Amino acid sequence: MYDYDLFNQRCVIKRLEVIKDQYNRPKGEKWNPVNIYPCRLAKASNSFTQQQPAAESNENYTLYLLSNADVKGGDMAEVIGVGKFRLARPYKPDNHHYQVPAVWDDEL
């Protein structure tokens, strides 16, 4: 059913958890790992804008995952050997696999 050679990378999907104190007030956040999945990362688009005093570059990617992956919008994917990416809402064409818009994030 799947061509596993296409999913030749691995990623850790992480979900943000709000940590609360004893009075149920937020006191911090942390990224908890959900699972490790085979994946494929592909560059979707790249834009470069010259602004003063510095240039701005935006790189957009698509993360492909198998249909059994637990992934949600707002999650973070750490693609092993590549970097960390903020994930948008997943799209599941024909219930076959996930296509997830991703933006590279060096601050995660």
Side-chain angles (χ1 to χ4, degrees):
M1 181 174 183
Y2 295 111
D3 187 358
Y4 288 101
D5 291 339
L6 292 176
F7 298 98
N8 62 354
Q9 295 170 296
R10 296 181 61 74
C11 67
V12 180
I13 301 295
K14 296 181 179 181
R15 197 159 289 144
L16 191 63
E17 175 189 0
V18 176
I19 301 168
K20 297 184 178 182
D21 65 10
Q22 63 189 11
Y23 302 107
N24 206 27
R25 295 180 299 208
K27 70 173 190 175
E29 301 174 332
K30 74 175 186 174
W31 289 99
N32 289 326
V34 175
N35 209 341
I36 299 174
Y37 297 106
C39 67
R40 173 76 173 186
L41 184 69
K43 188 176 276 194
S45 68
N46 191 11
S47 67
F48 184 80
T49 307
Q50 181 66 45
Q51 296 180 350
Q52 295 299 329
E56 181 179 308
S57 176
N58 292 317
E59 295 178 328
N60 295 311
Y61 295 85
T62 301
L63 183 68
Y64 297 92
L65 297 160
L66 296 175
S67 62
N68 63 350
D70 181 11
V71 62
K72 297 179 181 177
D75 286 353
M76 187 257 293
E78 184 174 347
V79 180
I80 298 169
V82 178
K84 297 177 183 177
F85 298 84
R86 178 85 56 174
L87 302 179
R89 195 173 122 224
Y91 169 63
K92 199 172 187 181
D94 297 328
N95 208 26
H96 181 266
H97 63 279
Y98 281 112
Q99 294 178 12
V100 188
V103 177
W104 182 69
D105 194 339
D106 58 348
E107 297 179 10
L108 291 173

